[in-house]
Amino acid sequence: MKAKIGILTVSDRASAGVYEDLSGKAIIATLSEYLSSEWESIYEVIPDEQSLIEEALKDMADEQGCCLIVTTGGTGPALRDVTPEATEVVCEKMMPGFGELMRQVSLKYVPTAILSRQTAGIRGRSLIINLPGKPKSIRECLDAVFPAVPYCIDLLEGPFLTCNEAVIKPFRPKA
């Protein structure tokens, strides 16, 4: 079964065409390096509006059938940063370990990582992960949490994700 993965960039300026969305493209490039199994991206760029973020997450999970949805942007303390709030509204289960680990890893590089509010959660059979907005930080965070992602997708009865183990090694408990 070909996996569908949602990539959602949350940015007022990128959605308005003020600048190119480098963050969403960084996620696609990173996942292309990680995954050896067949997958397709469902990619969208939207403004920092909580109702639009909720709508997009629901569509990717419920209508598009994405097993994984990765967001970028809107995780800081700025007034318009509402991605974690939208994620919490649409999820049935929160997965706080993802955000905890991403902040821990980011703190090795910048003291402002404590300002990041990224989180993760489950909606139906979809794992939703909020990433920061900078391409370098995206890679650092994905490198940290992705080893747990394929097994999480297994537990949600999603497609079996295989990885290029020279790049990233997924962890699955021994049967």
Side-chain angles (χ1 to χ4, degrees), residues 3-8 27 31 34-35 39-42 60-61 65-71 98 120-121 125-130 142 145-146 149-150 152-153 156 158-159 161:
K4 288 185 180 179
I5 299 177
I7 291 93
L8 182 64
I27 293 170
L31 293 177
Y34 287 176
L35 293 169
W39 69 285
E40 69 175 285
S41 66
I42 309 295
M60 287 179 171
C66 295
C67 62
L68 173 63
I69 302 166
V70 186
T71 72
F98 282 87
R125 292 186 175 192
S126 302
L127 170 62
I128 301 171
I129 303 173
N130 300 154
L142 276 176
V145 301
F146 201 84
V149 169
C152 185
I153 303 297
L156 297 174
L161 300 178

PDB file of all heavy atoms in Angstrom, residues 3-8 27 31 34-35 39-42 60-61 65-71 98 120-121 125-130 142 145-146 149-150 152-153 156 158-159 161:
ATOM      1  N   ALA A   3       1.964   4.798   0.820  1.00  0.00           N
ATOM      2  CA  ALA A   3       1.669   5.714   1.921  1.00  0.00           C
ATOM      3  C   ALA A   3       1.406   7.115   1.394  1.00  0.00           C
ATOM      4  O   ALA A   3       2.076   7.585   0.476  1.00  0.00           O
ATOM      5  CB  ALA A   3       2.844   5.742   2.896  1.00  0.00           C
ATOM      6  N   LYS A   4       0.437   7.765   2.011  1.00  0.00           N
ATOM      7  CA  LYS A   4       0.190   9.181   1.741  1.00  0.00           C
ATOM      8  C   LYS A   4       0.667   9.953   2.956  1.00  0.00           C
ATOM      9  O   LYS A   4       0.321   9.617   4.090  1.00  0.00           O
ATOM     10  CB  LYS A   4      -1.294   9.443   1.516  1.00  0.00           C
ATOM     11  CG  LYS A   4      -1.820   8.918   0.213  1.00  0.00           C
ATOM     12  CD  LYS A   4      -3.272   9.345   0.042  1.00  0.00           C
ATOM     13  CE  LYS A   4      -3.826   8.840  -1.264  1.00  0.00           C
ATOM     14  NZ  LYS A   4      -5.241   9.242  -1.422  1.00  0.00           N
ATOM     15  N   ILE A   5       1.479  10.972   2.700  1.00  0.00           N
ATOM     16  CA  ILE A   5       2.017  11.792   3.781  1.00  0.00           C
ATOM     17  C   ILE A   5       1.676  13.248   3.498  1.00  0.00           C
ATOM     18  O   ILE A   5       1.994  13.785   2.433  1.00  0.00           O
ATOM     19  CB  ILE A   5       3.540  11.601   3.918  1.00  0.00           C
ATOM     20  CG1 ILE A   5       3.839  10.135   4.251  1.00  0.00           C
ATOM     21  CG2 ILE A   5       4.102  12.542   4.977  1.00  0.00           C
ATOM     22  CD1 ILE A   5       5.311   9.795   4.349  1.00  0.00           C
ATOM     23  N   GLY A   6       1.009  13.871   4.471  1.00  0.00           N
ATOM     24  CA  GLY A   6       0.641  15.272   4.350  1.00  0.00           C
ATOM     25  C   GLY A   6       1.778  16.170   4.807  1.00  0.00           C
ATOM     26  O   GLY A   6       2.393  15.908   5.838  1.00  0.00           O
ATOM     27  N   ILE A   7       2.047  17.197   4.034  1.00  0.00           N
ATOM     28  CA  ILE A   7       3.026  18.225   4.398  1.00  0.00           C
ATOM     29  C   ILE A   7       2.265  19.540   4.384  1.00  0.00           C
ATOM     30  O   ILE A   7       1.757  19.967   3.341  1.00  0.00           O
ATOM     31  CB  ILE A   7       4.235  18.276   3.438  1.00  0.00           C
ATOM     32  CG1 ILE A   7       5.110  17.016   3.589  1.00  0.00           C
ATOM     33  CG2 ILE A   7       5.106  19.479   3.736  1.00  0.00           C
ATOM     34  CD1 ILE A   7       4.780  15.934   2.662  1.00  0.00           C
ATOM     35  N   LEU A   8       2.143  20.150   5.549  1.00  0.00           N
ATOM     36  CA  LEU A   8       1.358  21.369   5.694  1.00  0.00           C
ATOM     37  C   LEU A   8       2.242  22.498   6.196  1.00  0.00           C
ATOM     38  O   LEU A   8       2.713  22.469   7.326  1.00  0.00           O
ATOM     39  CB  LEU A   8       0.195  21.134   6.669  1.00  0.00           C
ATOM     40  CG  LEU A   8      -0.740  22.312   6.898  1.00  0.00           C
ATOM     41  CD1 LEU A   8      -1.482  22.677   5.608  1.00  0.00           C
ATOM     42  CD2 LEU A   8      -1.733  21.993   8.015  1.00  0.00           C
ATOM     43  N   ILE A  27      10.940  19.358   4.191  1.00  0.00           N
ATOM     44  CA  ILE A  27      10.313  18.149   4.732  1.00  0.00           C
ATOM     45  C   ILE A  27      10.232  17.085   3.644  1.00  0.00           C
ATOM     46  O   ILE A  27      10.590  15.926   3.867  1.00  0.00           O
ATOM     47  CB  ILE A  27       8.909  18.451   5.298  1.00  0.00           C
ATOM     48  CG1 ILE A  27       9.032  19.341   6.537  1.00  0.00           C
ATOM     49  CG2 ILE A  27       8.158  17.162   5.622  1.00  0.00           C
ATOM     50  CD1 ILE A  27       7.706  19.887   7.036  1.00  0.00           C
ATOM     51  N   LEU A  31      12.090  13.477   3.865  1.00  0.00           N
ATOM     52  CA  LEU A  31      11.334  12.217   3.813  1.00  0.00           C
ATOM     53  C   LEU A  31      11.739  11.382   2.603  1.00  0.00           C
ATOM     54  O   LEU A  31      11.771  10.156   2.675  1.00  0.00           O
ATOM     55  CB  LEU A  31       9.830  12.497   3.796  1.00  0.00           C
ATOM     56  CG  LEU A  31       9.256  13.104   5.075  1.00  0.00           C
ATOM     57  CD1 LEU A  31       7.770  13.407   4.903  1.00  0.00           C
ATOM     58  CD2 LEU A  31       9.492  12.221   6.285  1.00  0.00           C
ATOM     59  N   TYR A  34      14.774   9.586   3.717  1.00  0.00           N
ATOM     60  CA  TYR A  34      14.480   8.584   4.746  1.00  0.00           C
ATOM     61  C   TYR A  34      13.797   7.341   4.194  1.00  0.00           C
ATOM     62  O   TYR A  34      14.151   6.228   4.560  1.00  0.00           O
ATOM     63  CB  TYR A  34      13.524   9.149   5.802  1.00  0.00           C
ATOM     64  CG  TYR A  34      14.044  10.144   6.779  1.00  0.00           C
ATOM     65  CD1 TYR A  34      13.168  10.722   7.688  1.00  0.00           C
ATOM     66  CD2 TYR A  34      15.379  10.527   6.842  1.00  0.00           C
ATOM     67  CE1 TYR A  34      13.594  11.645   8.622  1.00  0.00           C
ATOM     68  CE2 TYR A  34      15.819  11.459   7.771  1.00  0.00           C
ATOM     69  CZ  TYR A  34      14.920  12.011   8.658  1.00  0.00           C
ATOM     70  OH  TYR A  34      15.330  12.927   9.582  1.00  0.00           O
ATOM     71  N   LEU A  35      12.755   7.543   3.387  1.00  0.00           N
ATOM     72  CA  LEU A  35      11.853   6.447   3.045  1.00  0.00           C
ATOM     73  C   LEU A  35      12.288   5.697   1.801  1.00  0.00           C
ATOM     74  O   LEU A  35      12.569   6.292   0.765  1.00  0.00           O
ATOM     75  CB  LEU A  35      10.430   6.979   2.856  1.00  0.00           C
ATOM     76  CG  LEU A  35       9.770   7.505   4.131  1.00  0.00           C
ATOM     77  CD1 LEU A  35       8.484   8.243   3.808  1.00  0.00           C
ATOM     78  CD2 LEU A  35       9.505   6.366   5.113  1.00  0.00           C
ATOM     79  N   TRP A  39       5.735   6.263  -1.483  1.00  0.00           N
ATOM     80  CA  TRP A  39       4.869   7.225  -0.805  1.00  0.00           C
ATOM     81  C   TRP A  39       4.594   8.399  -1.729  1.00  0.00           C
ATOM     82  O   TRP A  39       5.302   8.621  -2.703  1.00  0.00           O
ATOM     83  CB  TRP A  39       5.494   7.695   0.507  1.00  0.00           C
ATOM     84  CG  TRP A  39       6.718   8.554   0.362  1.00  0.00           C
ATOM     85  CD1 TRP A  39       7.982   8.136   0.023  1.00  0.00           C
ATOM     86  CD2 TRP A  39       6.810   9.975   0.523  1.00  0.00           C
ATOM     87  NE1 TRP A  39       8.843   9.208  -0.017  1.00  0.00           N
ATOM     88  CE2 TRP A  39       8.144  10.350   0.286  1.00  0.00           C
ATOM     89  CE3 TRP A  39       5.882  10.963   0.861  1.00  0.00           C
ATOM     90  CZ2 TRP A  39       8.585  11.660   0.370  1.00  0.00           C
ATOM     91  CZ3 TRP A  39       6.329  12.282   0.948  1.00  0.00           C
ATOM     92  CH2 TRP A  39       7.671  12.608   0.710  1.00  0.00           C
ATOM     93  N   GLU A  40       3.537   9.118  -1.416  1.00  0.00           N
ATOM     94  CA  GLU A  40       3.224  10.337  -2.157  1.00  0.00           C
ATOM     95  C   GLU A  40       2.915  11.443  -1.161  1.00  0.00           C
ATOM     96  O   GLU A  40       2.401  11.178  -0.073  1.00  0.00           O
ATOM     97  CB  GLU A  40       2.060  10.137  -3.116  1.00  0.00           C
ATOM     98  CG  GLU A  40       0.716   9.923  -2.466  1.00  0.00           C
ATOM     99  CD  GLU A  40      -0.420   9.838  -3.472  1.00  0.00           C
ATOM    100  OE1 GLU A  40      -0.819  10.890  -4.005  1.00  0.00           O
ATOM    101  OE2 GLU A  40      -0.900   8.722  -3.701  1.00  0.00           O
ATOM    102  N   SER A  41       3.255  12.670  -1.548  1.00  0.00           N
ATOM    103  CA  SER A  41       2.997  13.797  -0.652  1.00  0.00           C
ATOM    104  C   SER A  41       1.696  14.484  -1.029  1.00  0.00           C
ATOM    105  O   SER A  41       1.352  14.607  -2.203  1.00  0.00           O
ATOM    106  CB  SER A  41       4.154  14.794  -0.694  1.00  0.00           C
ATOM    107  OG  SER A  41       4.244  15.398  -1.972  1.00  0.00           O
ATOM    108  N   ILE A  42       0.979  14.893  -0.010  1.00  0.00           N
ATOM    109  CA  ILE A  42      -0.188  15.765  -0.138  1.00  0.00           C
ATOM    110  C   ILE A  42       0.285  17.074   0.492  1.00  0.00           C
ATOM    111  O   ILE A  42       0.448  17.165   1.704  1.00  0.00           O
ATOM    112  CB  ILE A  42      -1.416  15.206   0.630  1.00  0.00           C
ATOM    113  CG1 ILE A  42      -1.696  13.751   0.266  1.00  0.00           C
ATOM    114  CG2 ILE A  42      -2.612  16.111   0.448  1.00  0.00           C
ATOM    115  CD1 ILE A  42      -2.111  13.499  -1.155  1.00  0.00           C
ATOM    116  N   MET A  60      -6.575  16.184   5.425  1.00  0.00           N
ATOM    117  CA  MET A  60      -5.457  15.276   5.155  1.00  0.00           C
ATOM    118  C   MET A  60      -5.646  13.936   5.860  1.00  0.00           C
ATOM    119  O   MET A  60      -5.350  12.887   5.301  1.00  0.00           O
ATOM    120  CB  MET A  60      -4.134  15.921   5.557  1.00  0.00           C
ATOM    121  CG  MET A  60      -3.689  17.016   4.621  1.00  0.00           C
ATOM    122  SD  MET A  60      -2.128  17.762   5.184  1.00  0.00           S
ATOM    123  CE  MET A  60      -1.729  18.782   3.771  1.00  0.00           C
ATOM    124  N   ALA A  61      -6.151  13.970   7.090  1.00  0.00           N
ATOM    125  CA  ALA A  61      -6.345  12.736   7.863  1.00  0.00           C
ATOM    126  C   ALA A  61      -7.575  11.965   7.380  1.00  0.00           C
ATOM    127  O   ALA A  61      -7.482  10.775   7.060  1.00  0.00           O
ATOM    128  CB  ALA A  61      -6.477  13.059   9.348  1.00  0.00           C
ATOM    129  N   GLY A  65      -6.567  10.485   3.595  1.00  0.00           N
ATOM    130  CA  GLY A  65      -6.043   9.217   4.107  1.00  0.00           C
ATOM    131  C   GLY A  65      -4.546   9.223   4.380  1.00  0.00           C
ATOM    132  O   GLY A  65      -3.874   8.202   4.220  1.00  0.00           O
ATOM    133  N   CYS A  66      -4.016  10.354   4.826  1.00  0.00           N
ATOM    134  CA  CYS A  66      -2.581  10.427   5.154  1.00  0.00           C
ATOM    135  C   CYS A  66      -2.309   9.674   6.456  1.00  0.00           C
ATOM    136  O   CYS A  66      -2.987   9.889   7.457  1.00  0.00           O
ATOM    137  CB  CYS A  66      -2.145  11.878   5.312  1.00  0.00           C
ATOM    138  SG  CYS A  66      -2.248  12.854   3.795  1.00  0.00           S
ATOM    139  N   CYS A  67      -1.310   8.805   6.429  1.00  0.00           N
ATOM    140  CA  CYS A  67      -0.923   8.087   7.646  1.00  0.00           C
ATOM    141  C   CYS A  67      -0.059   8.980   8.541  1.00  0.00           C
ATOM    142  O   CYS A  67      -0.006   8.806   9.749  1.00  0.00           O
ATOM    143  CB  CYS A  67      -0.182   6.796   7.307  1.00  0.00           C
ATOM    144  SG  CYS A  67       1.371   7.016   6.413  1.00  0.00           S
ATOM    145  N   LEU A  68       0.610   9.937   7.923  1.00  0.00           N
ATOM    146  CA  LEU A  68       1.489  10.874   8.617  1.00  0.00           C
ATOM    147  C   LEU A  68       1.213  12.250   8.055  1.00  0.00           C
ATOM    148  O   LEU A  68       1.095  12.415   6.835  1.00  0.00           O
ATOM    149  CB  LEU A  68       2.958  10.484   8.397  1.00  0.00           C
ATOM    150  CG  LEU A  68       4.034  11.433   8.915  1.00  0.00           C
ATOM    151  CD1 LEU A  68       3.977  11.556  10.439  1.00  0.00           C
ATOM    152  CD2 LEU A  68       5.422  10.959   8.474  1.00  0.00           C
ATOM    153  N   ILE A  69       1.100  13.241   8.951  1.00  0.00           N
ATOM    154  CA  ILE A  69       0.953  14.634   8.546  1.00  0.00           C
ATOM    155  C   ILE A  69       2.017  15.413   9.301  1.00  0.00           C
ATOM    156  O   ILE A  69       2.091  15.340  10.532  1.00  0.00           O
ATOM    157  CB  ILE A  69      -0.448  15.186   8.884  1.00  0.00           C
ATOM    158  CG1 ILE A  69      -1.536  14.344   8.200  1.00  0.00           C
ATOM    159  CG2 ILE A  69      -0.547  16.659   8.488  1.00  0.00           C
ATOM    160  CD1 ILE A  69      -2.934  14.579   8.730  1.00  0.00           C
ATOM    161  N   VAL A  70       2.851  16.112   8.555  1.00  0.00           N
ATOM    162  CA  VAL A  70       3.934  16.881   9.159  1.00  0.00           C
ATOM    163  C   VAL A  70       3.675  18.346   8.856  1.00  0.00           C
ATOM    164  O   VAL A  70       3.561  18.739   7.699  1.00  0.00           O
ATOM    165  CB  VAL A  70       5.304  16.434   8.599  1.00  0.00           C
ATOM    166  CG1 VAL A  70       6.425  17.141   9.328  1.00  0.00           C
ATOM    167  CG2 VAL A  70       5.467  14.930   8.715  1.00  0.00           C
ATOM    168  N   THR A  71       3.563  19.147   9.921  1.00  0.00           N
ATOM    169  CA  THR A  71       3.363  20.578   9.741  1.00  0.00           C
ATOM    170  C   THR A  71       4.678  21.304   9.977  1.00  0.00           C
ATOM    171  O   THR A  71       5.564  20.800  10.677  1.00  0.00           O
ATOM    172  CB  THR A  71       2.306  21.147  10.709  1.00  0.00           C
ATOM    173  OG1 THR A  71       2.844  21.178  12.040  1.00  0.00           O
ATOM    174  CG2 THR A  71       1.020  20.329  10.680  1.00  0.00           C
ATOM    175  N   PHE A  98       7.047  13.564  21.455  1.00  0.00           N
ATOM    176  CA  PHE A  98       7.633  14.109  20.233  1.00  0.00           C
ATOM    177  C   PHE A  98       8.135  15.530  20.465  1.00  0.00           C
ATOM    178  O   PHE A  98       9.270  15.862  20.145  1.00  0.00           O
ATOM    179  CB  PHE A  98       6.616  14.078  19.084  1.00  0.00           C
ATOM    180  CG  PHE A  98       6.439  12.734  18.456  1.00  0.00           C
ATOM    181  CD1 PHE A  98       5.528  11.820  18.976  1.00  0.00           C
ATOM    182  CD2 PHE A  98       7.167  12.364  17.337  1.00  0.00           C
ATOM    183  CE1 PHE A  98       5.353  10.573  18.392  1.00  0.00           C
ATOM    184  CE2 PHE A  98       6.999  11.120  16.748  1.00  0.00           C
ATOM    185  CZ  PHE A  98       6.092  10.222  17.281  1.00  0.00           C
ATOM    186  N   ALA A 120       2.682  16.720  18.977  1.00  0.00           N
ATOM    187  CA  ALA A 120       2.239  15.681  18.042  1.00  0.00           C
ATOM    188  C   ALA A 120       0.990  15.047  18.624  1.00  0.00           C
ATOM    189  O   ALA A 120       0.738  15.126  19.834  1.00  0.00           O
ATOM    190  CB  ALA A 120       3.326  14.629  17.833  1.00  0.00           C
ATOM    191  N   GLY A 121       0.212  14.427  17.743  1.00  0.00           N
ATOM    192  CA  GLY A 121      -0.999  13.773  18.204  1.00  0.00           C
ATOM    193  C   GLY A 121      -1.532  12.807  17.162  1.00  0.00           C
ATOM    194  O   GLY A 121      -1.012  12.719  16.049  1.00  0.00           O
ATOM    195  N   ARG A 125      -6.354   7.365  12.161  1.00  0.00           N
ATOM    196  CA  ARG A 125      -5.185   6.548  11.811  1.00  0.00           C
ATOM    197  C   ARG A 125      -4.032   7.408  11.309  1.00  0.00           C
ATOM    198  O   ARG A 125      -3.170   6.926  10.575  1.00  0.00           O
ATOM    199  CB  ARG A 125      -5.564   5.516  10.758  1.00  0.00           C
ATOM    200  CG  ARG A 125      -6.507   4.472  11.300  1.00  0.00           C
ATOM    201  CD  ARG A 125      -6.764   3.393  10.308  1.00  0.00           C
ATOM    202  NE  ARG A 125      -7.575   2.358  10.946  1.00  0.00           N
ATOM    203  CZ  ARG A 125      -7.782   1.191  10.425  1.00  0.00           C
ATOM    204  NH1 ARG A 125      -7.261   0.863   9.277  1.00  0.00           N
ATOM    205  NH2 ARG A 125      -8.530   0.311  11.062  1.00  0.00           N
ATOM    206  N   SER A 126      -4.039   8.679  11.710  1.00  0.00           N
ATOM    207  CA  SER A 126      -2.996   9.615  11.265  1.00  0.00           C
ATOM    208  C   SER A 126      -2.176  10.112  12.442  1.00  0.00           C
ATOM    209  O   SER A 126      -2.742  10.518  13.464  1.00  0.00           O
ATOM    210  CB  SER A 126      -3.624  10.828  10.577  1.00  0.00           C
ATOM    211  OG  SER A 126      -4.401  10.452   9.477  1.00  0.00           O
ATOM    212  N   LEU A 127      -0.870  10.103  12.274  1.00  0.00           N
ATOM    213  CA  LEU A 127       0.038  10.732  13.222  1.00  0.00           C
ATOM    214  C   LEU A 127       0.332  12.132  12.694  1.00  0.00           C
ATOM    215  O   LEU A 127       0.726  12.290  11.535  1.00  0.00           O
ATOM    216  CB  LEU A 127       1.341   9.931  13.337  1.00  0.00           C
ATOM    217  CG  LEU A 127       2.489  10.579  14.117  1.00  0.00           C
ATOM    218  CD1 LEU A 127       2.105  10.831  15.574  1.00  0.00           C
ATOM    219  CD2 LEU A 127       3.749   9.719  14.021  1.00  0.00           C
ATOM    220  N   ILE A 128       0.097  13.143  13.523  1.00  0.00           N
ATOM    221  CA  ILE A 128       0.355  14.534  13.155  1.00  0.00           C
ATOM    222  C   ILE A 128       1.527  15.025  13.993  1.00  0.00           C
ATOM    223  O   ILE A 128       1.511  14.911  15.221  1.00  0.00           O
ATOM    224  CB  ILE A 128      -0.880  15.421  13.407  1.00  0.00           C
ATOM    225  CG1 ILE A 128      -2.076  14.920  12.595  1.00  0.00           C
ATOM    226  CG2 ILE A 128      -0.572  16.884  13.083  1.00  0.00           C
ATOM    227  CD1 ILE A 128      -3.411  15.590  12.944  1.00  0.00           C
ATOM    228  N   ILE A 129       2.552  15.552  13.327  1.00  0.00           N
ATOM    229  CA  ILE A 129       3.734  16.067  14.012  1.00  0.00           C
ATOM    230  C   ILE A 129       3.948  17.518  13.605  1.00  0.00           C
ATOM    231  O   ILE A 129       4.023  17.830  12.418  1.00  0.00           O
ATOM    232  CB  ILE A 129       4.998  15.259  13.657  1.00  0.00           C
ATOM    233  CG1 ILE A 129       4.823  13.780  13.972  1.00  0.00           C
ATOM    234  CG2 ILE A 129       6.226  15.826  14.382  1.00  0.00           C
ATOM    235  CD1 ILE A 129       5.968  12.894  13.480  1.00  0.00           C
ATOM    236  N   ASN A 130       4.061  18.409  14.598  1.00  0.00           N
ATOM    237  CA  ASN A 130       4.374  19.815  14.342  1.00  0.00           C
ATOM    238  C   ASN A 130       5.879  20.010  14.401  1.00  0.00           C
ATOM    239  O   ASN A 130       6.514  19.661  15.391  1.00  0.00           O
ATOM    240  CB  ASN A 130       3.776  20.737  15.407  1.00  0.00           C
ATOM    241  CG  ASN A 130       2.273  20.687  15.532  1.00  0.00           C
ATOM    242  OD1 ASN A 130       1.746  20.972  16.598  1.00  0.00           O
ATOM    243  ND2 ASN A 130       1.567  20.346  14.473  1.00  0.00           N
ATOM    244  N   LEU A 142      13.438  16.087  12.799  1.00  0.00           N
ATOM    245  CA  LEU A 142      13.021  14.823  12.165  1.00  0.00           C
ATOM    246  C   LEU A 142      14.041  13.714  12.413  1.00  0.00           C
ATOM    247  O   LEU A 142      13.659  12.564  12.646  1.00  0.00           O
ATOM    248  CB  LEU A 142      12.786  15.012  10.671  1.00  0.00           C
ATOM    249  CG  LEU A 142      11.411  15.550  10.276  1.00  0.00           C
ATOM    250  CD1 LEU A 142      11.342  15.778   8.772  1.00  0.00           C
ATOM    251  CD2 LEU A 142      10.291  14.620  10.714  1.00  0.00           C
ATOM    252  N   VAL A 145      13.129  12.336  15.932  1.00  0.00           N
ATOM    253  CA  VAL A 145      11.872  11.627  16.206  1.00  0.00           C
ATOM    254  C   VAL A 145      11.503  10.568  15.179  1.00  0.00           C
ATOM    255  O   VAL A 145      10.729   9.646  15.491  1.00  0.00           O
ATOM    256  CB  VAL A 145      10.676  12.604  16.374  1.00  0.00           C
ATOM    257  CG1 VAL A 145      10.930  13.569  17.516  1.00  0.00           C
ATOM    258  CG2 VAL A 145      10.347  13.335  15.085  1.00  0.00           C
ATOM    259  N   PHE A 146      12.040  10.648  13.964  1.00  0.00           N
ATOM    260  CA  PHE A 146      11.561   9.747  12.910  1.00  0.00           C
ATOM    261  C   PHE A 146      11.800   8.261  13.192  1.00  0.00           C
ATOM    262  O   PHE A 146      10.991   7.435  12.748  1.00  0.00           O
ATOM    263  CB  PHE A 146      12.121  10.128  11.535  1.00  0.00           C
ATOM    264  CG  PHE A 146      11.270   9.569  10.427  1.00  0.00           C
ATOM    265  CD1 PHE A 146      10.135  10.232   9.997  1.00  0.00           C
ATOM    266  CD2 PHE A 146      11.581   8.345   9.836  1.00  0.00           C
ATOM    267  CE1 PHE A 146       9.321   9.704   9.014  1.00  0.00           C
ATOM    268  CE2 PHE A 146      10.778   7.810   8.840  1.00  0.00           C
ATOM    269  CZ  PHE A 146       9.646   8.491   8.427  1.00  0.00           C
ATOM    270  N   VAL A 149       8.586   6.856  14.195  1.00  0.00           N
ATOM    271  CA  VAL A 149       7.409   7.086  13.351  1.00  0.00           C
ATOM    272  C   VAL A 149       6.897   5.817  12.663  1.00  0.00           C
ATOM    273  O   VAL A 149       5.695   5.523  12.728  1.00  0.00           O
ATOM    274  CB  VAL A 149       7.663   8.234  12.348  1.00  0.00           C
ATOM    275  CG1 VAL A 149       6.565   8.317  11.293  1.00  0.00           C
ATOM    276  CG2 VAL A 149       7.795   9.559  13.093  1.00  0.00           C
ATOM    277  N   PRO A 150       7.736   5.013  11.984  1.00  0.00           N
ATOM    278  CA  PRO A 150       7.194   3.823  11.308  1.00  0.00           C
ATOM    279  C   PRO A 150       6.451   2.874  12.252  1.00  0.00           C
ATOM    280  O   PRO A 150       5.384   2.359  11.899  1.00  0.00           O
ATOM    281  CB  PRO A 150       8.434   3.163  10.688  1.00  0.00           C
ATOM    282  CG  PRO A 150       9.352   4.318  10.438  1.00  0.00           C
ATOM    283  CD  PRO A 150       9.151   5.213  11.637  1.00  0.00           C
ATOM    284  N   CYS A 152       4.942   3.716  15.070  1.00  0.00           N
ATOM    285  CA  CYS A 152       3.693   4.386  15.437  1.00  0.00           C
ATOM    286  C   CYS A 152       2.653   4.176  14.335  1.00  0.00           C
ATOM    287  O   CYS A 152       1.499   3.858  14.624  1.00  0.00           O
ATOM    288  CB  CYS A 152       3.932   5.873  15.681  1.00  0.00           C
ATOM    289  SG  CYS A 152       2.457   6.740  16.267  1.00  0.00           S
ATOM    290  N   ILE A 153       3.070   4.309  13.079  1.00  0.00           N
ATOM    291  CA  ILE A 153       2.161   4.084  11.943  1.00  0.00           C
ATOM    292  C   ILE A 153       1.686   2.614  11.940  1.00  0.00           C
ATOM    293  O   ILE A 153       0.515   2.342  11.670  1.00  0.00           O
ATOM    294  CB  ILE A 153       2.835   4.451  10.602  1.00  0.00           C
ATOM    295  CG1 ILE A 153       3.313   5.904  10.598  1.00  0.00           C
ATOM    296  CG2 ILE A 153       1.922   4.155   9.414  1.00  0.00           C
ATOM    297  CD1 ILE A 153       2.270   6.962  10.716  1.00  0.00           C
ATOM    298  N   LEU A 156      -1.068   2.199  14.335  1.00  0.00           N
ATOM    299  CA  LEU A 156      -2.307   2.817  13.839  1.00  0.00           C
ATOM    300  C   LEU A 156      -2.883   2.038  12.651  1.00  0.00           C
ATOM    301  O   LEU A 156      -3.836   2.487  12.023  1.00  0.00           O
ATOM    302  CB  LEU A 156      -2.037   4.267  13.426  1.00  0.00           C
ATOM    303  CG  LEU A 156      -1.595   5.205  14.554  1.00  0.00           C
ATOM    304  CD1 LEU A 156      -1.217   6.576  13.992  1.00  0.00           C
ATOM    305  CD2 LEU A 156      -2.675   5.332  15.613  1.00  0.00           C
ATOM    306  N   GLY A 158      -1.517   1.488   9.766  1.00  0.00           N
ATOM    307  CA  GLY A 158      -1.244   2.173   8.505  1.00  0.00           C
ATOM    308  C   GLY A 158      -0.293   1.369   7.639  1.00  0.00           C
ATOM    309  O   GLY A 158       0.039   0.228   7.968  1.00  0.00           O
ATOM    310  N   PRO A 159       0.161   1.958   6.546  1.00  0.00           N
ATOM    311  CA  PRO A 159       1.079   1.259   5.638  1.00  0.00           C
ATOM    312  C   PRO A 159       2.429   0.995   6.316  1.00  0.00           C
ATOM    313  O   PRO A 159       2.846   1.747   7.198  1.00  0.00           O
ATOM    314  CB  PRO A 159       1.222   2.219   4.460  1.00  0.00           C
ATOM    315  CG  PRO A 159       0.858   3.553   5.005  1.00  0.00           C
ATOM    316  CD  PRO A 159      -0.129   3.317   6.097  1.00  0.00           C
ATOM    317  N   LEU A 161       6.030   1.343   6.572  1.00  0.00           N
ATOM    318  CA  LEU A 161       7.056   2.248   6.058  1.00  0.00           C
ATOM    319  C   LEU A 161       8.434   1.623   6.217  1.00  0.00           C
ATOM    320  O   LEU A 161       8.798   1.208   7.318  1.00  0.00           O
ATOM    321  CB  LEU A 161       7.020   3.585   6.798  1.00  0.00           C
ATOM    322  CG  LEU A 161       5.720   4.390   6.728  1.00  0.00           C
ATOM    323  CD1 LEU A 161       5.834   5.655   7.562  1.00  0.00           C
ATOM    324  CD2 LEU A 161       5.365   4.718   5.291  1.00  0.00           C
TER     325      LEU A 161
END
